[in-house]
């Protein structure tokens, strides 16, 4: 499965340290390797390298003097630095401003109905309500780290690199609309852009659903510098209890429920259902759950959370995503046991198969193995972690699978009541 779904391996950055070291030390024995490394770095950012190549070749062939060759290599590297100095300066200034502003800011907290210390902010908002009598199903959306309803659930503007970017069917129960919507998007034209497709599209295709979003705050520093004070944060278990309390306030549990989660939002969905299954007062939430749609959820953790940086400490949100930790494995095991009992729940999962650009390098945010919950339909989608939850239009496969799930659940529920 890895061979079919793995994305491009971007290894350009491994040449960068060698190029700097060899050029600055002017080691003659490394000069050929230096030229190659510089070429890799320059080619990645795609400047005009013709003049650089000609200068290197002339110095080597005509003069055969190592001093001139090393000088030419140094000039090439300096010219490259000058070309991108504005970007490096802007990046440094931006980071300094963020650090200075964070020192002056105080973290925002709100009181929770859950016993304990002050909690981080969690909000529940109803985006569309057809009315009590017309409501058949609640569709609840939960975003991932550093997301919100306007950032995570906005319409996708990604470009189709391939002429026919088809999702890869890894596991299919036969209920998918793959044959009708095999492409990610039919037509590239975006007539009316929406910054929240659940709010604007679902009422058109499924007017009988109530659209609800849950938002939560995230530590502004996933890797916090050690010289900055660390704010008090709550765990995923505590936030799950807060989310249940807010959902009960808007009467979630009285109708069938479909859950939609992106990244860590999918883990919160699992945590909510586990809590609901353990409490008799909230047990209706699990008994009325009919479907779950996962957009690249790290069920077994994320390799990004394993990265440790000197002079930085990971936030609690990031530590909870470390691969195969005890808490995340326990949550997965408990959720599996619960799903074996509640077999009426349909599950669909999308896996990102492209690397995600993080500042300067491409990384795998959620691995293929971790995005597989172990049951339900499973699709590999040629998009990165940010875009996998952003359908390009209403015909997009990413959106149509949700609509198909809601419609099939409505039909099956009606048949059961007849």
């Amino acid at each position: 499965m890895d061979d079919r779904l793995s994305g491009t391996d971007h290894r350009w950055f491994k040449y960068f340290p060698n190029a700097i070291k060899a050029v600055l030390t002017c080691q003659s024995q490394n000069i050929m390797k230096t030229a190659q490394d510089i070429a890799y770095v320059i080619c990645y950012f795609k400047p005009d390298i013709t003049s650089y190549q000609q200068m290197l070749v002339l110095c080597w062939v005509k003069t055969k003097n190592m001093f001139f060759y090393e000088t030419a290599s140094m000039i090439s590297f300096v010219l490259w630095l000058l070309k991108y100095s504005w970007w490096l300066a802007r990046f440094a200034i931006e980071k300094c401003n963020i650090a200075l502003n964070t020192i002056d800011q105080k973290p925002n907290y709100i009181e929770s109905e859950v016993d304990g210390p002050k909690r981080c902010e969690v909000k529940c908002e109803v985006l569309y309500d057809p009315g009590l009598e017309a409501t058949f199903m609640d569709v609840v959306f939960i975003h991932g780290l550093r997301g919100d309803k306007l950032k995570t659930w906005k319409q996708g503007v990604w470009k189709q690199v391939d002429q026919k970017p088809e999702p890869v069917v890894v596991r299919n129960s036969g209920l998918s609309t793959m044959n009708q919507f095999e492409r990610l998007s039919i037509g590239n034209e975006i007539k009316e852009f929406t910054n929240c497709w659940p709010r604007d599209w679902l009422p058109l295709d499924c007017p009988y659903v109530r659209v609800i979003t849950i938002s939560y705050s995230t530590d502004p520093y996933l890797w916090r510098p050690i010289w900055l004070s660390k704010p008090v944060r709550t765990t995923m278990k505590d936030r799950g209890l807060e989310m249940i309390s807010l959902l009960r306030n808007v009467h979630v549990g009285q109708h069938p429920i479909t859950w939609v989660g992106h990244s860590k939002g999918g883990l919160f969905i699992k945590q909510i259902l586990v809590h609901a299954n353990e409490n008799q007062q909230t047990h209706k939430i699990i008994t009325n759950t009919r479907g779950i749609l996962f957009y690249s959820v790290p069920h077994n953790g994320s390799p990004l959370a394993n990265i440790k940086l000197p002079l930085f400490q990971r936030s609690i949100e990031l530590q909870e995503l470390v691969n195969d930790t005890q808490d995340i494995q326990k949550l997965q095991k408990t959720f599996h046991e619960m799903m074996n009992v509640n077999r009426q729940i349909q599950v669909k999962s999308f896996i990102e198969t492209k690397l995600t650009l993080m500042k300067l390098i491409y990384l795998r945010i959620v691995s293929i193995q971790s995005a597989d919950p172990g049951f339900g339909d499973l699709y590999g989608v040629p998009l990165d972690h940010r875009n996998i939850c952003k359908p390009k239009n209403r015909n997009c496969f990413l959106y149509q699978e949700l609509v198909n799930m809601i419609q099939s659940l409505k039909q099956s529920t009606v048949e059961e009541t007849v």
Side-chain angles (χ1 to χ4, degrees):
M1 184 171 66
D2 291 348
D3 294 335
R4 296 173 60 194
L5 301 181
S6 59
T8 305
D9 188 9
H10 298 265
R11 300 180 180 176
W12 64 271
F13 52 86
K14 72 178 183 180
Y15 301 101
F16 195 79
N18 294 335
I20 295 178
K21 181 178 178 181
V23 170
L24 295 181
T25 56
C26 293
Q27 296 177 357
S28 300
Q29 63 271 24
N30 292 335
I31 202 63
M32 291 300 294
K33 185 66 168 61
T34 302
Q36 180 185 7
D37 293 346
I38 293 176
Y40 271 108
V41 176
I42 295 176
C43 288
Y44 179 80
F45 291 96
K46 299 179 181 179
D48 183 10
I49 62 173
T50 304
S51 59
Y52 304 154
Q53 292 176 330
Q54 291 177 352
M55 182 168 53
L56 294 176
V57 172
L58 289 176
C59 289
W60 175 258
V61 176
K62 292 184 178 181
T63 65
K64 296 183 180 180
N65 190 318
M66 193 62 66
F67 172 76
F68 288 103
Y69 189 83
E70 292 175 347
T71 303
S73 300
M74 178 70 77
I75 293 174
S76 300
F77 186 72
V78 170
L79 290 176
W80 177 83
L81 287 179
L82 291 176
K83 183 177 181 65
Y84 291 96
S85 59
W86 64 271
W87 186 91
L88 296 173
R90 187 179 66 178
F91 178 78
I93 293 173
E94 179 184 358
K95 291 302 179 183
C96 291
N97 289 335
I98 293 176
L100 292 175
N101 293 334
T102 306
I103 294 176
D104 298 332
Q105 291 178 354
K106 295 182 179 180
N108 296 323
Y109 303 104
I110 63 171
E111 293 290 345
S112 170
E113 297 180 6
V114 184
D115 295 335
K118 290 185 177 181
R119 310 286 168 167
C120 301
E121 186 176 5
V122 179
K123 296 180 180 179
C124 180
E125 183 179 357
V126 179
L127 300 182
Y128 173 74
D129 190 352
L132 182 60
E133 296 182 356
T135 300
F136 173 79
M137 178 179 292
D138 291 331
V139 183
V140 183
F141 292 81
I142 306 181
H143 60 75
L145 293 180
R146 288 187 172 180
D148 57 47
K149 68 176 183 180
L150 301 181
K151 183 186 298 184
T152 302
W153 309 117
K154 66 181 179 180
Q155 184 175 356
V157 293
W158 37 265
K159 297 181 180 179
Q160 294 183 359
V161 179
D162 303 325
Q163 293 182 354
K164 193 176 182 181
E166 299 180 2
V168 178
V169 181
V170 182
R171 187 172 56 243
N172 189 1
S173 62
L175 299 176
S176 172
T177 58
M178 175 67 76
N179 294 331
Q180 300 177 16
F181 300 94
E182 62 180 358
R183 299 186 62 177
L184 282 178
S185 177
I186 301 178
N188 294 325
E189 183 179 0
I190 300 177
K191 296 181 180 180
E192 294 183 3
F193 179 82
T194 173
N195 57 7
C196 185
W197 61 263
R199 177 194 62 199
D200 297 333
W201 291 354
L202 278 180
L204 300 177
D205 296 305
C206 304
Y208 44 82
V209 301
R210 185 170 59 150
V211 182
I212 302 172
T213 61
I214 292 181
S215 303
Y216 57 92
S217 63
T218 307
D219 194 326
Y221 289 96
L222 296 181
W223 287 272
R224 176 173 290 273
I226 59 176
W227 57 86
L228 296 180
S229 59
K230 192 174 183 180
V232 178
R233 310 295 296 180
T234 51
T235 63
M236 186 164 56
K237 292 182 179 180
D238 294 332
R239 289 198 182 189
L241 292 174
E242 291 184 80
M243 292 177 181
I244 288 181
S245 176
L246 294 174
L247 290 172
R248 292 184 64 191
N249 291 340
V250 294
H251 309 292
V252 171
Q254 297 181 1
H255 305 95
I257 308 171
T258 295
W259 303 86
V260 182
H262 172 244
S263 192
K264 195 175 182 179
L267 298 182
F268 279 118
I269 292 174
K270 294 164 61 176
Q271 191 68 65
I272 290 173
L273 295 179
V274 168
H275 283 321
N277 192 48
E278 296 172 349
N279 191 335
Q280 190 63 31
Q281 295 180 349
T282 58
H283 199 262
K284 282 187 176 181
I285 293 179
I286 182 65
T287 56
N288 282 325
T289 294
R290 293 292 183 268
I292 307 175
L293 184 63
F294 292 127
Y295 286 111
S296 197
V297 174
H299 298 282
N300 296 312
S302 170
L304 183 66
N306 296 337
I307 300 176
K308 295 182 179 180
L309 301 176
L311 303 180
F312 288 84
Q313 52 184 343
R314 291 174 294 181
S315 65
I316 186 173
E317 291 95 343
L318 204 60
Q319 293 178 25
E320 291 174 332
L321 295 179
V322 174
N323 278 337
D324 299 327
T325 58
Q326 183 177 358
D327 290 339
I328 205 169
Q329 289 297 320
K330 182 179 179 181
L331 177 62
Q332 177 71 350
K333 180 180 179 181
T334 307
F335 186 70
H336 257 272
E337 295 173 352
M338 184 186 66
M339 290 296 296
N340 291 331
V341 177
N342 300 274
R343 295 183 177 274
Q344 80 280 3
I345 302 177
Q346 288 188 26
V347 178
K348 294 179 184 289
S349 302
F350 295 110
I351 302 175
E352 62 192 68
T353 62
K354 296 292 185 181
L355 302 182
T356 303
L357 179 61
M358 302 291 290
K359 297 299 182 182
L360 292 176
I361 61 176
Y362 285 85
L363 296 174
R364 177 80 63 188
I365 306 300
V366 179
S367 65
I368 296 171
Q369 294 80 4
S370 183
D372 184 3
F375 44 80
D377 296 350
L378 187 64
Y379 307 103
V381 183
L383 292 173
D384 62 18
H385 189 71
R386 295 190 183 97
N387 290 316
I388 197 170
C389 59
K390 297 175 175 60
K392 198 166 187 180
N393 52 45
R394 288 170 61 192
N395 290 325
C396 183
F397 174 80
L398 297 172
Y399 173 70
Q400 281 296 327
E401 280 299 297
L402 174 60
V403 174
N404 177 65
M405 173 185 283
I406 295 173
Q407 293 176 349
S408 64
L409 291 174
K410 182 177 184 295
Q411 182 179 357
S412 61
T413 304
V414 172
E415 292 175 354
E416 291 176 0
T417 56
V418 174

